[in-house]
Amino acid sequence: MTDCLFCKIVSEEVPGEIVYRDDQVTAFNDINPVAPTHILIVPNQHMSSVNDMDQAAEPTVGHMFTVARELAEQRNLQDSGYRLIINTGPDAGQDIFHLHLHLIGGQRMRHPMG
Ligand code: 5GP
Ligand code: ZN
């Protein structure tokens, strides 16, 4: 996608604080963090949202969760806890239409959501 911000961060056309990258996914710090750790994990290949997921995307989306867990462990969040969020569509407040998994942690969070 030529006009997608997160595609441009993946391709390094737009700068991002990349904290992890492999052949399937890229992870970078959120520009407007809501907690001490706020990382976005995205597929390298463009996908708008969960609505745009097909079966071929399952391994990559599964891998996004593995990377989230590893990043959480690196930051010592496995016991204090963390939240993984994927917003989909307007009611959820999705702003960027390139699938992304928010990894949020390092502080006590409000609950319930919604
Ligand atoms: P959404 O609301 O779509 O689930 O989340 C979009 C996230 O992208 C927000 O948390 C927002 O702060 C983040 N964001 C928006 N623009 C940029 C940017 O240019 N760079 C980075 N690193 N994050 C961004
Ligand atoms: Zn994209």
Side-chain angles (χ1 to χ4, degrees), residues 4-14 18 21 26 44:
C4 169
L5 175 63
F6 287 177
C7 280
K8 288 179 178 166
I9 290 177
V10 169
S11 68
E12 295 184 24
E13 204 179 315
V14 165
I18 293 175
R21 171 201 285 295
T26 300
N44 293 340

Side-chain angles (χ1 to χ4, degrees), residues 72 76-83 103-109:
N76 218 23
L77 296 174
Q78 67 274 15
D79 295 329
S80 54
Y82 52 92
R83 190 168 279 169
L103 163 61
I104 299 169
Q107 71 183 26
R108 188 80 179 181
M109 285 171 270

